Every structure is written in structure tokens, then in C-alpha cells.
Amino acid sequence: GHEVTTVEGLAAPDGTLSPVQRAFAECHGLQCGFCTPGFLCTVTALLRDNPTPGEEEVIEGLSGNLCRCTGYQNIVKAVHRAAEILAEER
């Protein structure tokens, strides 16, 4: 009775990227691709539940995902940018 959304389900049916996907591309938050699907799904859920997270909430929200390629700065920027995009679209 549960619904599961994979990274492939984040884009619109016509292929338009979600706000989170666009923000990750815009802020260079995409790395080698190994961790990217997890980050995209995690951030989508984080912003669904908390549309305006503070810095500590973002860091806590990302804490379950590991990336070996980066220091997370651009990923954190992407979360804040995605929140801005979502707010603009409301």
C-alpha cells in the first residue's frame, strides 16, 4: 500500500527536470553519479516536508547520504536553490 518514487520519477512525464534536479545542475551539485540519485530523492522529500530548511536542517537532512567526490558545499547550495525555485513556483 505504499508508493515508491525513484530518481527516474522525479522529472515530469515530458522529461522536464524537477526543481531539485534543476538546482543540482545549476549549482554544480552533481558529482560522479553514484550518490546523485540518493541526494535527489532525499532532498525532494526534505523540501516536501520542510520547504524552507535552515543550514543545520539541510546538513541533518543530507546526513544519511555519502559522497566521496565533494566537500558537500555545492550540494548544500543546491538544496537552498531548490527551495528558492519551489517557492517561486508556488
Side-chain angles (χ1 to χ4, degrees):
H2 294 280
E3 184 176 314
V4 175
T5 301
T6 64
V7 69
E8 293 85 4
L10 297 179
D14 69 358
T16 302
L17 297 179
S18 74
V20 172
Q21 291 170 310
R22 292 193 322 256
F24 267 69
E26 181 182 319
C27 295
H28 308 286
L30 303 167
Q31 301 301 315
C32 73
F34 185 77
C35 68
T36 300
F39 276 111
L40 293 173
C41 290
T42 296
V43 171
T44 298
L46 171 69
L47 295 177
R48 179 195 63 223
D49 297 342
N50 182 357
T52 57
E55 192 75 10
E56 291 300 317
E57 292 167 310
V58 169
I59 292 168
E60 175 66 26
L62 297 175
S63 68
N65 296 77
L66 298 175
C67 177
R68 300 182 323 178
C69 298
T70 182
Y72 295 87
Q73 294 89 345
N74 289 343
I75 294 172
V76 171
K77 277 189 219 174
V79 176
H80 291 294
R81 178 64 185 131
E84 291 172 0
I85 293 170
L86 287 165
E88 291 167 3
E89 292 182 354
R90 286 188 199 118

